[in-house]
Amino acid sequence: MNKTLTCIECPKGCILLVKIQHEKVKEISGNICSKGKAYAVSEIEHPCRMLTSTVCGKGLNLRMIPVKTNAPIPKSDIFKAMKEIKKLKIRKSVCAGDIIVRNFLGLKGINLVVARSCSRI
Amino acid sequence: MIKQRELVIVGGGPAGMAAALSAYKNGVKDILILERDEYLGGILNQCIHPGFGIDYFKEILTGPEYARRFINKLEQVPRIEVSLRSFVVDLTKDKVLTFLKPGSFNRIKAKALIMATGCREKTREMVHIPGTRPAGIFSAGLAQKMINIEGLIPGKKVVIVGSGDIGLIMARRFVLEGAQVKAVIEIQKQSQGLLRNVVQCVQDYNIPFFCQHKISKIHGNSRVEKVSVVKVDKNFKTVANTEFEIECDSILISVGLIPENELIEMAGVKIDKNTNTPVYKGLNKTSIKGLFVCGNSYKVYDIVDSVSSDSEKAGQSAAEYLKRGKK
Ligand SMILES: Cc1cc2nc3c(=O)[nH]c(=O)nc-3n(C[C@H](O)[C@H](O)[C@H](O)COP(=O)(O)OP(=O)(O)OC[C@H]3O[C@@H](n4cnc5c(N)ncnc54)[C@H](O)[C@@H]3O)c2cc1C
């Protein structure tokens, strides 16, 4: 089976032609860089997305603190992840890169990290 | 006596920051950045999605992270003075700037000036959508600021007009926040935003996407209640008997950006009235010598990485201009 995908790794948006056999990627063309290859395999075999959102701050100079997963998470976990994020509150100063939840959703190696530093007021 | 500075930069977004750093590298030692907001970073602070920095840093960053890289560099250069909450309200052809800072009214003269004031969003009025004028109509970037900075969700059932990147990104953001995005409506044949955003923001969440359609009427008295939508042909003429209605409580307008250039126009710089950009030969240059424009106020950029690299050239041009003046 052949499938066309739009690579979402960067704003170039390469159109990828993917040959699929037994739900596995056999051949990829149309990508400019190696990220496109990896994306096509992941998209066909286990689709994942980066998740970014905001966490409520209390007593900080920012009302909302942007957060992100340190790597893409399974697409099917996105709404579960949003539910968890909504329960969180940040009350102390944090720096961009700080981990606020380790092994987020029980996913090994996936951490929820702060994307913008903020401080107590 | 008006105080004089070597180089003044208006706007502390990615363009202003890159221009400042590059001017410093090229030998300018007296630099002042005037930023009206409480923070550096400009529009990047509200762009919490990933997709920044692939060209410039070879990494995928969120907007705030991209901004942070430049803020860190600036903090290491004490010779670059940053003045926050400083709103420039007047500019003359001799590069005299007037700015307001809480509690003070200030005037300075710049030997060289770089304007990096970014863009503003086009409004409902600029695309002519008929109907009532209820509450619940927002520009997409304003909604983005409300959600990502203020933590307020402006609506529960949303229709998005226009498929620019901001609208597409906000479609996903609303869905993640638990709102329903009823439709994205685009008058052109194709999305006006990047393909990757159509895939990951609209298709991923099964949001109905109507190309070659437009809103023919907004309904509602105090709050938006519904919109009428109609198909258009390739000349944007309404196709008869294609009208349908969508119930909603909010409408986001995402129909593009306009460079913010009223200050330089005030100073007498020649401006193209269609694009609202300076008319002159050469990147970042204007009809006034020593007055440069960079970033989204020079032209609307899709990607911040190119804003940073082009703005570095503005810093370099300003440095060269100042050197020539000294000889
Ligand atoms: C919603 C959205 C999504 C985007 N997504 C992406 C993406 O995924 N990837 C990507 O690479 N790019 C993206 N971009 C584009 C990128 O963010 C912009 O190109 C870039 O931020 C423009 O930088 P700038 O410094 O020119 O303008 P801005 O960031 O707008 O900064 C202008 C600054 O000038 C200040 N200012 C204006 N007027 C005055 C005044 N009179 N006095 C004092 N200060 C003033 C403002 O407060 C602001 O801080 C996106 C843009 C938007 C809006």
Side-chain angles (χ1 to χ4, degrees), chain B residues 285-311:
Chain B
K285 303 219 164 89
T286 70
S287 58
I288 295 184
K289 284 207 171 54
L291 196 166
F292 305 88
V293 180
C294 67
N296 265 356
S297 48
Y298 179 70
K299 66 169 194 207
V300 182
Y301 285 85
D302 282 337
I303 293 175
V304 71
D305 304 64
S306 357
V307 168
S308 299
S309 26
D310 275 4
S311 300

PDB file of all heavy atoms in Angstrom, chain B residues 285-311:
ATOM      1  N   LYS B 285      16.265  48.681   4.639  1.00  0.00           N
ATOM      2  CA  LYS B 285      16.546  50.108   4.469  1.00  0.00           C
ATOM      3  C   LYS B 285      15.253  50.898   4.236  1.00  0.00           C
ATOM      4  O   LYS B 285      14.236  50.348   3.816  1.00  0.00           O
ATOM      5  CB  LYS B 285      17.501  50.308   3.295  1.00  0.00           C
ATOM      6  CG  LYS B 285      18.801  49.513   3.495  1.00  0.00           C
ATOM      7  CD  LYS B 285      20.012  50.279   3.037  1.00  0.00           C
ATOM      8  CE  LYS B 285      21.281  49.669   3.581  1.00  0.00           C
ATOM      9  NZ  LYS B 285      21.864  48.628   2.748  1.00  0.00           N
ATOM     10  N   THR B 286      15.311  52.193   4.524  1.00  0.00           N
ATOM     11  CA  THR B 286      14.157  53.067   4.287  1.00  0.00           C
ATOM     12  C   THR B 286      14.632  54.338   3.585  1.00  0.00           C
ATOM     13  O   THR B 286      15.830  54.545   3.402  1.00  0.00           O
ATOM     14  CB  THR B 286      13.492  53.502   5.606  1.00  0.00           C
ATOM     15  OG1 THR B 286      14.374  54.421   6.284  1.00  0.00           O
ATOM     16  CG2 THR B 286      13.196  52.332   6.512  1.00  0.00           C
ATOM     17  N   SER B 287      13.681  55.204   3.237  1.00  0.00           N
ATOM     18  CA  SER B 287      14.037  56.442   2.537  1.00  0.00           C
ATOM     19  C   SER B 287      14.724  57.449   3.454  1.00  0.00           C
ATOM     20  O   SER B 287      15.186  58.478   2.987  1.00  0.00           O
ATOM     21  CB  SER B 287      12.794  57.041   1.885  1.00  0.00           C
ATOM     22  OG  SER B 287      11.810  57.276   2.874  1.00  0.00           O
ATOM     23  N   ILE B 288      14.789  57.195   4.752  1.00  0.00           N
ATOM     24  CA  ILE B 288      15.546  58.066   5.664  1.00  0.00           C
ATOM     25  C   ILE B 288      16.862  57.373   6.018  1.00  0.00           C
ATOM     26  O   ILE B 288      16.868  56.219   6.470  1.00  0.00           O
ATOM     27  CB  ILE B 288      14.743  58.389   6.951  1.00  0.00           C
ATOM     28  CG1 ILE B 288      13.496  59.209   6.585  1.00  0.00           C
ATOM     29  CG2 ILE B 288      15.617  59.140   7.962  1.00  0.00           C
ATOM     30  CD1 ILE B 288      12.674  59.669   7.774  1.00  0.00           C
ATOM     31  N   LYS B 289      17.966  58.069   5.794  1.00  0.00           N
ATOM     32  CA  LYS B 289      19.286  57.465   6.068  1.00  0.00           C
ATOM     33  C   LYS B 289      19.462  57.205   7.560  1.00  0.00           C
ATOM     34  O   LYS B 289      19.119  58.042   8.384  1.00  0.00           O
ATOM     35  CB  LYS B 289      20.394  58.406   5.589  1.00  0.00           C
ATOM     36  CG  LYS B 289      20.548  58.374   4.100  1.00  0.00           C
ATOM     37  CD  LYS B 289      21.980  58.725   3.687  1.00  0.00           C
ATOM     38  CE  LYS B 289      22.192  58.475   2.210  1.00  0.00           C
ATOM     39  NZ  LYS B 289      21.195  59.153   1.356  1.00  0.00           N
ATOM     40  N   GLY B 290      19.986  56.033   7.870  1.00  0.00           N
ATOM     41  CA  GLY B 290      20.234  55.708   9.278  1.00  0.00           C
ATOM     42  C   GLY B 290      18.997  55.225  10.012  1.00  0.00           C
ATOM     43  O   GLY B 290      19.038  54.957  11.198  1.00  0.00           O
ATOM     44  N   LEU B 291      17.892  55.106   9.292  1.00  0.00           N
ATOM     45  CA  LEU B 291      16.669  54.545   9.896  1.00  0.00           C
ATOM     46  C   LEU B 291      16.371  53.205   9.230  1.00  0.00           C
ATOM     47  O   LEU B 291      16.103  53.158   8.023  1.00  0.00           O
ATOM     48  CB  LEU B 291      15.510  55.528   9.729  1.00  0.00           C
ATOM     49  CG  LEU B 291      14.259  55.302  10.601  1.00  0.00           C
ATOM     50  CD1 LEU B 291      13.362  56.524  10.578  1.00  0.00           C
ATOM     51  CD2 LEU B 291      13.475  54.075  10.241  1.00  0.00           C
ATOM     52  N   PHE B 292      16.478  52.143  10.001  1.00  0.00           N
ATOM     53  CA  PHE B 292      16.304  50.797   9.463  1.00  0.00           C
ATOM     54  C   PHE B 292      15.052  50.158  10.050  1.00  0.00           C
ATOM     55  O   PHE B 292      14.607  50.529  11.129  1.00  0.00           O
ATOM     56  CB  PHE B 292      17.530  49.937   9.786  1.00  0.00           C
ATOM     57  CG  PHE B 292      18.818  50.556   9.311  1.00  0.00           C
ATOM     58  CD1 PHE B 292      19.522  51.453  10.121  1.00  0.00           C
ATOM     59  CD2 PHE B 292      19.313  50.289   8.040  1.00  0.00           C
ATOM     60  CE1 PHE B 292      20.692  52.057   9.680  1.00  0.00           C
ATOM     61  CE2 PHE B 292      20.482  50.885   7.597  1.00  0.00           C
ATOM     62  CZ  PHE B 292      21.175  51.770   8.411  1.00  0.00           C
ATOM     63  N   VAL B 293      14.494  49.203   9.311  1.00  0.00           N
ATOM     64  CA  VAL B 293      13.327  48.468   9.797  1.00  0.00           C
ATOM     65  C   VAL B 293      13.633  46.991   9.652  1.00  0.00           C
ATOM     66  O   VAL B 293      14.178  46.573   8.620  1.00  0.00           O
ATOM     67  CB  VAL B 293      12.065  48.812   8.964  1.00  0.00           C
ATOM     68  CG1 VAL B 293      10.863  48.039   9.473  1.00  0.00           C
ATOM     69  CG2 VAL B 293      11.777  50.312   9.018  1.00  0.00           C
ATOM     70  N   CYS B 294      13.334  46.177  10.668  1.00  0.00           N
ATOM     71  CA  CYS B 294      13.596  44.736  10.515  1.00  0.00           C
ATOM     72  C   CYS B 294      12.505  43.893  11.157  1.00  0.00           C
ATOM     73  O   CYS B 294      11.673  44.391  11.905  1.00  0.00           O
ATOM     74  CB  CYS B 294      14.967  44.371  11.060  1.00  0.00           C
ATOM     75  SG  CYS B 294      15.125  44.561  12.830  1.00  0.00           S
ATOM     76  N   GLY B 295      12.537  42.603  10.839  1.00  0.00           N
ATOM     77  CA  GLY B 295      11.551  41.661  11.382  1.00  0.00           C
ATOM     78  C   GLY B 295      10.194  41.858  10.732  1.00  0.00           C
ATOM     79  O   GLY B 295      10.095  42.321   9.591  1.00  0.00           O
ATOM     80  N   ASN B 296       9.161  41.526  11.480  1.00  0.00           N
ATOM     81  CA  ASN B 296       7.815  41.557  10.919  1.00  0.00           C
ATOM     82  C   ASN B 296       7.337  42.951  10.537  1.00  0.00           C
ATOM     83  O   ASN B 296       6.359  43.081   9.822  1.00  0.00           O
ATOM     84  CB  ASN B 296       6.834  40.933  11.912  1.00  0.00           C
ATOM     85  CG  ASN B 296       6.594  39.465  11.622  1.00  0.00           C
ATOM     86  OD1 ASN B 296       7.105  38.921  10.638  1.00  0.00           O
ATOM     87  ND2 ASN B 296       5.810  38.820  12.450  1.00  0.00           N
ATOM     88  N   SER B 297       8.000  43.991  11.008  1.00  0.00           N
ATOM     89  CA  SER B 297       7.574  45.317  10.556  1.00  0.00           C
ATOM     90  C   SER B 297       8.205  45.642   9.196  1.00  0.00           C
ATOM     91  O   SER B 297       7.703  46.487   8.468  1.00  0.00           O
ATOM     92  CB  SER B 297       7.883  46.401  11.592  1.00  0.00           C
ATOM     93  OG  SER B 297       9.185  46.309  12.076  1.00  0.00           O
ATOM     94  N   TYR B 298       9.291  44.931   8.847  1.00  0.00           N
ATOM     95  CA  TYR B 298       9.868  45.134   7.511  1.00  0.00           C
ATOM     96  C   TYR B 298       9.032  44.399   6.468  1.00  0.00           C
ATOM     97  O   TYR B 298       8.695  44.932   5.420  1.00  0.00           O
ATOM     98  CB  TYR B 298      11.315  44.645   7.473  1.00  0.00           C
ATOM     99  CG  TYR B 298      11.945  44.796   6.122  1.00  0.00           C
ATOM    100  CD1 TYR B 298      12.248  46.058   5.611  1.00  0.00           C
ATOM    101  CD2 TYR B 298      12.203  43.681   5.320  1.00  0.00           C
ATOM    102  CE1 TYR B 298      12.793  46.206   4.349  1.00  0.00           C
ATOM    103  CE2 TYR B 298      12.760  43.817   4.062  1.00  0.00           C
ATOM    104  CZ  TYR B 298      13.055  45.083   3.579  1.00  0.00           C
ATOM    105  OH  TYR B 298      13.585  45.225   2.325  1.00  0.00           O
ATOM    106  N   LYS B 299       8.685  43.157   6.754  1.00  0.00           N
ATOM    107  CA  LYS B 299       7.748  42.383   5.934  1.00  0.00           C
ATOM    108  C   LYS B 299       7.236  41.234   6.794  1.00  0.00           C
ATOM    109  O   LYS B 299       7.867  40.877   7.785  1.00  0.00           O
ATOM    110  CB  LYS B 299       8.439  41.852   4.661  1.00  0.00           C
ATOM    111  CG  LYS B 299       9.517  40.827   4.916  1.00  0.00           C
ATOM    112  CD  LYS B 299       9.956  40.151   3.620  1.00  0.00           C
ATOM    113  CE  LYS B 299      10.763  38.907   3.922  1.00  0.00           C
ATOM    114  NZ  LYS B 299      11.708  38.520   2.923  1.00  0.00           N
ATOM    115  N   VAL B 300       6.111  40.638   6.425  1.00  0.00           N
ATOM    116  CA  VAL B 300       5.567  39.558   7.244  1.00  0.00           C
ATOM    117  C   VAL B 300       6.360  38.288   6.983  1.00  0.00           C
ATOM    118  O   VAL B 300       6.394  37.792   5.860  1.00  0.00           O
ATOM    119  CB  VAL B 300       4.070  39.331   6.946  1.00  0.00           C
ATOM    120  CG1 VAL B 300       3.516  38.242   7.847  1.00  0.00           C
ATOM    121  CG2 VAL B 300       3.284  40.618   7.123  1.00  0.00           C
ATOM    122  N   TYR B 301       7.028  37.791   8.014  1.00  0.00           N
ATOM    123  CA  TYR B 301       7.808  36.558   7.887  1.00  0.00           C
ATOM    124  C   TYR B 301       6.985  35.372   8.389  1.00  0.00           C
ATOM    125  O   TYR B 301       6.231  35.506   9.344  1.00  0.00           O
ATOM    126  CB  TYR B 301       9.068  36.631   8.756  1.00  0.00           C
ATOM    127  CG  TYR B 301      10.177  37.503   8.230  1.00  0.00           C
ATOM    128  CD1 TYR B 301      10.195  38.871   8.483  1.00  0.00           C
ATOM    129  CD2 TYR B 301      11.229  36.946   7.506  1.00  0.00           C
ATOM    130  CE1 TYR B 301      11.235  39.673   8.021  1.00  0.00           C
ATOM    131  CE2 TYR B 301      12.268  37.741   7.043  1.00  0.00           C
ATOM    132  CZ  TYR B 301      12.263  39.105   7.304  1.00  0.00           C
ATOM    133  OH  TYR B 301      13.298  39.880   6.852  1.00  0.00           O
ATOM    134  N   ASP B 302       7.189  34.207   7.778  1.00  0.00           N
ATOM    135  CA  ASP B 302       6.527  32.991   8.262  1.00  0.00           C
ATOM    136  C   ASP B 302       7.302  32.381   9.417  1.00  0.00           C
ATOM    137  O   ASP B 302       6.737  31.749  10.286  1.00  0.00           O
ATOM    138  CB  ASP B 302       6.459  31.929   7.151  1.00  0.00           C
ATOM    139  CG  ASP B 302       5.350  32.230   6.171  1.00  0.00           C
ATOM    140  OD1 ASP B 302       4.415  32.945   6.566  1.00  0.00           O
ATOM    141  OD2 ASP B 302       5.432  31.762   5.023  1.00  0.00           O
ATOM    142  N   ILE B 303       8.607  32.515   9.346  1.00  0.00           N
ATOM    143  CA  ILE B 303       9.465  31.747  10.244  1.00  0.00           C
ATOM    144  C   ILE B 303      10.402  32.680  10.987  1.00  0.00           C
ATOM    145  O   ILE B 303      11.073  33.529  10.396  1.00  0.00           O
ATOM    146  CB  ILE B 303      10.251  30.705   9.423  1.00  0.00           C
ATOM    147  CG1 ILE B 303       9.248  29.691   8.876  1.00  0.00           C
ATOM    148  CG2 ILE B 303      11.303  30.013  10.260  1.00  0.00           C
ATOM    149  CD1 ILE B 303       9.836  28.681   7.971  1.00  0.00           C
ATOM    150  N   VAL B 304      10.431  32.511  12.301  1.00  0.00           N
ATOM    151  CA  VAL B 304      11.204  33.428  13.131  1.00  0.00           C
ATOM    152  C   VAL B 304      12.702  33.311  12.861  1.00  0.00           C
ATOM    153  O   VAL B 304      13.438  34.287  12.995  1.00  0.00           O
ATOM    154  CB  VAL B 304      10.868  33.204  14.618  1.00  0.00           C
ATOM    155  CG1 VAL B 304      11.426  31.896  15.125  1.00  0.00           C
ATOM    156  CG2 VAL B 304      11.373  34.345  15.472  1.00  0.00           C
ATOM    157  N   ASP B 305      13.155  32.129  12.450  1.00  0.00           N
ATOM    158  CA  ASP B 305      14.586  31.939  12.167  1.00  0.00           C
ATOM    159  C   ASP B 305      15.071  32.945  11.119  1.00  0.00           C
ATOM    160  O   ASP B 305      16.167  33.498  11.242  1.00  0.00           O
ATOM    161  CB  ASP B 305      14.858  30.523  11.653  1.00  0.00           C
ATOM    162  CG  ASP B 305      14.363  29.466  12.627  1.00  0.00           C
ATOM    163  OD1 ASP B 305      13.131  29.411  12.835  1.00  0.00           O
ATOM    164  OD2 ASP B 305      15.179  28.723  13.177  1.00  0.00           O
ATOM    165  N   SER B 306      14.252  33.189  10.101  1.00  0.00           N
ATOM    166  CA  SER B 306      14.665  34.157   9.079  1.00  0.00           C
ATOM    167  C   SER B 306      14.558  35.574   9.606  1.00  0.00           C
ATOM    168  O   SER B 306      15.310  36.461   9.188  1.00  0.00           O
ATOM    169  CB  SER B 306      13.866  34.017   7.779  1.00  0.00           C
ATOM    170  OG  SER B 306      12.958  32.967   7.820  1.00  0.00           O
ATOM    171  N   VAL B 307      13.638  35.799  10.555  1.00  0.00           N
ATOM    172  CA  VAL B 307      13.570  37.120  11.206  1.00  0.00           C
ATOM    173  C   VAL B 307      14.903  37.383  11.899  1.00  0.00           C
ATOM    174  O   VAL B 307      15.508  38.448  11.740  1.00  0.00           O
ATOM    175  CB  VAL B 307      12.420  37.181  12.247  1.00  0.00           C
ATOM    176  CG1 VAL B 307      12.532  38.418  13.127  1.00  0.00           C
ATOM    177  CG2 VAL B 307      11.074  37.137  11.556  1.00  0.00           C
ATOM    178  N   SER B 308      15.386  36.384  12.645  1.00  0.00           N
ATOM    179  CA  SER B 308      16.631  36.584  13.382  1.00  0.00           C
ATOM    180  C   SER B 308      17.796  36.850  12.425  1.00  0.00           C
ATOM    181  O   SER B 308      18.549  37.800  12.634  1.00  0.00           O
ATOM    182  CB  SER B 308      16.950  35.358  14.245  1.00  0.00           C
ATOM    183  OG  SER B 308      15.920  35.161  15.181  1.00  0.00           O
ATOM    184  N   SER B 309      17.949  36.032  11.371  1.00  0.00           N
ATOM    185  CA  SER B 309      19.124  36.243  10.526  1.00  0.00           C
ATOM    186  C   SER B 309      19.038  37.539   9.724  1.00  0.00           C
ATOM    187  O   SER B 309      20.032  38.234   9.577  1.00  0.00           O
ATOM    188  CB  SER B 309      19.436  35.037   9.639  1.00  0.00           C
ATOM    189  OG  SER B 309      18.306  34.292   9.373  1.00  0.00           O
ATOM    190  N   ASP B 310      17.835  37.890   9.235  1.00  0.00           N
ATOM    191  CA  ASP B 310      17.717  39.162   8.507  1.00  0.00           C
ATOM    192  C   ASP B 310      17.916  40.368   9.436  1.00  0.00           C
ATOM    193  O   ASP B 310      18.442  41.400   9.023  1.00  0.00           O
ATOM    194  CB  ASP B 310      16.341  39.272   7.832  1.00  0.00           C
ATOM    195  CG  ASP B 310      16.326  38.576   6.473  1.00  0.00           C
ATOM    196  OD1 ASP B 310      17.353  37.954   6.123  1.00  0.00           O
ATOM    197  OD2 ASP B 310      15.295  38.658   5.775  1.00  0.00           O
ATOM    198  N   SER B 311      17.472  40.222  10.684  1.00  0.00           N
ATOM    199  CA  SER B 311      17.598  41.347  11.615  1.00  0.00           C
ATOM    200  C   SER B 311      19.049  41.563  12.024  1.00  0.00           C
ATOM    201  O   SER B 311      19.455  42.685  12.329  1.00  0.00           O
ATOM    202  CB  SER B 311      16.719  41.122  12.845  1.00  0.00           C
ATOM    203  OG  SER B 311      15.374  41.005  12.451  1.00  0.00           O
TER     204      SER B 311
END
